[in-house]
Amino acid sequence: MNDADVERAIVRVQGGSVDDYETVVRAYQGRLRSVVANSCPPGLEADEIAHLAFVEAFRKIDSYQPNTRFFAWVCTIARLILLSELRKLRREERSREHYLELVVGGVMEAELETGSELDEQRVRALRGCLQALPEH
């Protein structure tokens, strides 16, 4: 299938023929997945990003100007989704780091607060054991 066939399918989709969008997706899904996979870091699924890009392109299909390189347009959409997902991953990572700091700090604080009592009890118990031992 050539680009002209795909452009005609896009015009039909813009006219209300939802079924013709399958032609568009089939024509570009492999290429789009490859482009996304090239930029996708571990932790993000290239197939999912490509899928979301096609869904978003369908939602905005009326804003696409026919014969202006649909593949470039859907790649731009995929790039924006990927950037959004990367920002989300960074936020989540910062949240995890901050949470870990809070948890570790809380645990250490609790140990320090109760640790002195526990240490004193241990020292008293050890002194008692030493006193119970025979002299030799």
Side-chain angles (χ1 to χ4, degrees):
M1 175 168 305
N2 63 33
D3 287 344
D5 293 333
V6 175
E7 289 294 333
R8 284 191 290 277
I10 291 169
V11 170
R12 289 191 299 274
V13 171
Q14 289 174 326
S17 177
V18 175
D19 293 337
D20 281 305
Y21 196 63
E22 180 181 353
T23 302
V24 177
V25 172
R26 286 186 188 274
Y28 295 123
Q29 68 183 351
R31 284 176 58 196
L32 184 62
R33 285 180 178 157
S34 295
V35 168
V36 172
N38 226 11
S39 303
C40 212
L44 289 179
E45 286 291 323
D47 286 346
E48 182 64 21
I49 301 295
H51 171 76
L52 291 172
F54 279 118
V55 170
E56 189 64 20
F58 180 77
R59 286 185 186 140
K60 296 181 176 185
I61 197 72
D62 288 335
S63 66
Y64 173 73
Q65 298 296 316
N67 300 313
T68 58
R69 299 181 46 218
F70 179 84
F71 184 70
W73 186 68
V74 78
C75 281
T76 300
I77 293 171
R79 187 177 129 274
L80 294 173
I81 292 170
L82 184 57
L83 286 171
S84 174
E85 291 298 314
L86 287 170
R87 283 188 209 103
K88 188 167 115 180
L89 275 178
R90 276 192 234 115
R91 275 193 311 274
E92 288 172 358
E93 184 62 30
R94 282 193 301 269
S95 292
R96 275 193 296 275
E97 287 173 4
H98 184 65
Y99 178 73
L100 184 59
E101 288 172 10
L102 288 174
V103 169
V104 169
V107 167
M108 290 178 74
E109 185 178 341
E111 283 181 10
L112 287 172
E113 287 175 356
T114 61
S116 60
E117 261 180 56
L118 184 59
D119 289 342
E120 288 176 27
Q121 289 174 357
R122 287 179 179 160
V123 169
R124 280 195 298 269
L126 284 171
R127 284 190 181 133
C129 288
L130 287 173
Q131 288 173 354
L133 289 174
E135 278 298 316
H136 60 282

